[in-house]
Amino acid sequence: MRHALTIGRRGLGRVWPWPSVGCVIVKDGQIVGRGVSERARAMHAETIALEQAGGLAQGATVYVTLEPCAHTGTTPPCANALVAAKVARVVSACDDPNPLVAGKGYAILREAGIAVETGVLAEQAAQDHAGFLLTQTEGRPFLTLKLAATLDGRIATATGDSQWITGPKARRYVHAMRANHDAVMVGGGTARADDPSLNVRGFGAVRQPVRVVVSRKIDLPFNSNLVQTVKEQPVWLCHGPNAETQHWTDMGVTSVPCAIVNGQVDMADALRNLAAKGITRVFCEGGGALAASLLSAGMVDELVVFSAGVVIGAEGVPSLSGLGLSALREAPRFDLRDVRSIGGDVMHRWRRV
């Protein structure tokens, strides 16, 4: 199952709106088939692994990181495929809360006389599938907030100079994180100030993430890098319901109207709208106002902070805008999951309590 989870992570950011499932088939102590969900071929992990195993699947044990599906969607039910292959046993890590599945996959297998074991490495599987699971249970995607700051928590000088606070190895690591999310999100201020590309570079041919810009009035330049490359990589705008969108949609940008709260885009509504369009994992890269909005709304599931060995001082731009807290007990809290050095910088990864 650890191996199934490992290969399943290879599809993160590449198979949305599907979950990235890993499957390993074992016969007489030998791996005879394995697979990861593939959108390009519209095949689920189980059917790819069964295709590899061929006749050796009969009487084998199947390790799969999510309950096999029990309904016909883009593909036929994987539970039925496992029955047809005459496997002897299915070991699953995580239950599927989708009402079209939700135990029905296991029932199909058991009715066919296949032994079923569930909950193996369930905690790890739930983390790997967090994006898909949240879309099913809360109607929103999993959100990672990335902050890159100086030792005193600044992201730019008073004049706005911010390139580069972190080193090249940290920046390459960020590209890897972009690659395993479905969408990369920034606020309108960051889009205007930095004119970013928000693509994945240095990792060969990968499925590029959707680029999401949150801007209530869509006050962005028409000649930005994002707009100029919209045909190569999607751009979605989360904006207020009264924003003028015609010119943007004519250029190929996707309009995502959202509710407004306190004069700003309601981030809870924005994330629900992204989930409704199939997005399961969002990687937010700023700026400070957007990050503060997400934290205040309780929408940050994972916080990844890169700390660089440089100090700017109080006149620098803080990594977060105000949260309006009056008591420490109101502050969002996170559990530390990982600390490592990346080049000359330190990365610490936190998960929401």
Side-chain angles (χ1 to χ4, degrees):
M1 186 62 78
R2 291 188 203 283
H3 184 47
L5 287 164
T6 297
I7 64 174
R9 292 183 203 113
R10 296 175 185 171
L12 291 176
R14 296 164 171 81
V15 299
W16 64 274
W18 293 357
S20 183
V21 176
C23 179
V24 175
I25 301 176
V26 177
K27 179 74 169 290
D28 298 329
Q30 299 291 321
I31 292 176
V32 295
R34 58 181 183 173
V36 182
S37 306
E38 280 189 30
R39 285 290 292 169
R41 293 197 292 162
M43 294 179 68
H44 286 184
E46 296 96 320
T47 52
I48 293 171
L50 288 171
E51 185 181 73
Q52 284 188 9
L56 293 174
Q58 184 171 344
T61 295
V62 178
Y63 298 88
V64 63
T65 63
L66 187 69
E67 177 181 355
C69 63
H71 66 291
T72 299
T74 309
T75 71
C78 290
N80 290 353
L82 292 167
V83 171
K86 299 181 180 179
V87 303
R89 178 170 169 251
V90 173
V91 181
S92 169
C94 188
D95 299 344
D96 188 340
N98 183 342
L100 296 174
V101 184
K104 298 180 179 69
Y106 297 144
I108 290 172
L109 298 172
R110 289 184 172 120
E111 287 170 7
I114 296 172
V116 176
E117 184 177 351
T118 65
V120 177
L121 298 183
E123 183 177 353
Q124 181 60 64
Q127 289 183 21
D128 292 352
H129 293 306
F132 171 74
L133 296 176
L134 281 170
T135 63
Q136 301 301 309
T137 58
E138 297 185 22
R140 68 172 182 89
F142 180 89
L143 188 132
T144 300
L145 172 62
K146 185 271 292 184
L147 301 174
T150 62
L151 291 176
D152 55 341
R154 306 294 165 177
I155 59 173
T157 66
T159 62
D161 185 16
S162 62
Q163 295 184 345
W164 296 99
I165 287 176
T166 55
K169 290 186 178 180
R171 296 198 298 274
R172 177 174 170 80
Y173 195 90
V174 168
H175 279 275
M177 287 193 292
R178 286 180 182 176
N180 67 24
H181 286 76
D182 309 339
V184 178
M185 173 186 284
V186 296
T190 297
R192 288 190 297 272
D194 297 346
D195 194 18
S197 297
L198 301 181
N199 55 6
V200 176
R201 301 185 293 276
F203 290 89
V206 298
R207 186 183 188 188
Q208 292 287 345
V210 172
R211 298 171 294 180
V212 177
V213 180
V214 181
S215 179
R216 180 170 64 94
K217 296 181 179 179
I218 324 184
D219 47 350
L220 305 171
F222 290 126
N223 62 346
S224 68
N225 281 328
L226 296 175
V227 177
Q228 296 304 310
T229 58
V230 68
K231 289 183 172 58
E232 289 79 49
Q233 185 180 354
V235 176
W236 295 3
L237 292 178
C238 291
H239 56 80
N242 298 321
E244 177 54 52
T245 62
Q246 184 67 50
H247 186 76
W248 298 97
T249 55
D250 286 348
M251 291 188 294
V253 171
T254 297
S255 165
V256 185
C258 303
I260 298 297
V261 174
N262 298 323
Q264 300 297 325
V265 171
D266 180 349
M267 292 313 301
D269 187 56
L271 291 174
R272 285 193 295 269
N273 292 337
L274 294 179
K277 290 180 172 294
I279 298 295
T280 68
R281 292 168 56 84
V282 175
F283 186 61
C284 180
E285 296 197 52
L290 177 58
S293 294
L294 289 165
L295 286 164
S296 295
M299 296 288 107
V300 177
D301 300 292
E302 183 174 70
L303 179 62
V304 180
V305 182
F306 291 88
S307 296
V310 61
V311 175
I312 289 179
E315 66 273 24
V317 180
S319 59
L320 290 174
S321 297
L323 294 176
L325 301 177
S326 58
L328 186 59
R329 66 176 178 275
E330 300 170 358
R333 291 194 177 269
F334 296 83
D335 285 331
L336 182 63
R337 296 301 180 94
D338 185 25
V339 179
R340 67 180 72 179
S341 60
I342 300 180
D345 306 307
V346 175
M347 183 200 75
H348 31 122
R349 187 186 298 264
W350 305 76
R351 280 289 179 105
R352 183 170 58 157
V353 174

